[in-house]
Amino acid sequence: TWAINRNDYQHLMLDGMVKRRKKYTDFLAKIPITQHLSHYEKLQIADALDTKIFGDGDVIIEQGSFGDVMYLILDGTVDIRRTTDDGEVCDLGQRTTGEYFGEFEFLFNVPRFCDVVATGLVKTAYINKADFELSMGPTVDILKRNAAVYRFYVSDDGKPVDRKKGQ
């Protein structure tokens, strides 16, 4: 059996937390919906992120479902697919390490636009809307504060853009 003294343990835990926070805040600085937040706000979100690993073929997001989770891809690749009303499956591309998905539905409480499926092993960090709002306040307030950043997501009248129609 072995033991570790309290100071060494606290140092190891603190060092791990600092590295994790740095990794997540650097990641958040690259995402359009979070890059304009203050460093403190990014730290708040970083502390609320959890990690989840998906296996090959796992459906992470299902088209048409309602979801309140945004994902950051820490390692791996996901396929993005949309099934049309006539049953045709359209490949919309991939997201890979350093990218994110699920943000539109996260922001606007609309049904998921597509399926997101793991290609191989995929490690993600994720945050749900309740935790986001607990650490940041209502999402709508964040959107209003940085309105110019969200032109991709909202029309001039402040309503979500319907990406299916390409508005």
Side-chain angles (χ1 to χ4, degrees), residues 150-164:
Y150 305 105
R151 289 292 171 227
F152 174 77
Y153 299 106
V154 295
S155 62
D156 290 335
D157 64 358
K159 304 229 188 238
V161 172
D162 184 348
R163 296 188 298 186
K164 292 183 280 186

Side-chain angles (χ1 to χ4, degrees), residues 125-137:
Y126 68 94
I127 186 168
N128 66 46
K129 191 166 192 161
D131 289 342
F132 181 89
E133 290 185 348
L134 183 63
S135 50
M136 296 299 301

Side-chain angles (χ1 to χ4, degrees), residues 61-142:
I61 288 179
E62 186 175 354
Q63 179 178 328
S65 66
F66 279 87
D68 66 346
V69 178
M70 181 175 83
Y71 296 89
L72 316 174
I73 304 172
L74 301 176
D75 189 34
T77 301
V78 297
D79 286 330
I80 301 175
R81 304 176 188 138
R82 176 160 177 76
T83 304
T84 63
D85 292 337
D86 62 356
E88 181 184 351
V89 177
C90 301
D91 186 7
L92 301 179
Q94 293 185 321
R95 298 284 185 271
T96 191
T97 303
E99 296 183 292
Y100 57 96
F101 58 92
E103 75 285 358
F104 187 80
E105 299 82 3
F106 176 84
L107 293 172
F108 297 110
N109 295 320
V110 295
R112 298 291 191 177
F113 178 71
C114 56
D115 290 329
V116 178
V117 181
T119 303
L121 194 65
V122 178
K123 183 177 180 181
T124 65
Y126 68 94
I127 186 168
N128 66 46
K129 191 166 192 161
D131 289 342
F132 181 89
E133 290 185 348
L134 183 63
S135 50
M136 296 299 301
T139 309
V140 173
D141 293 341
I142 303 297

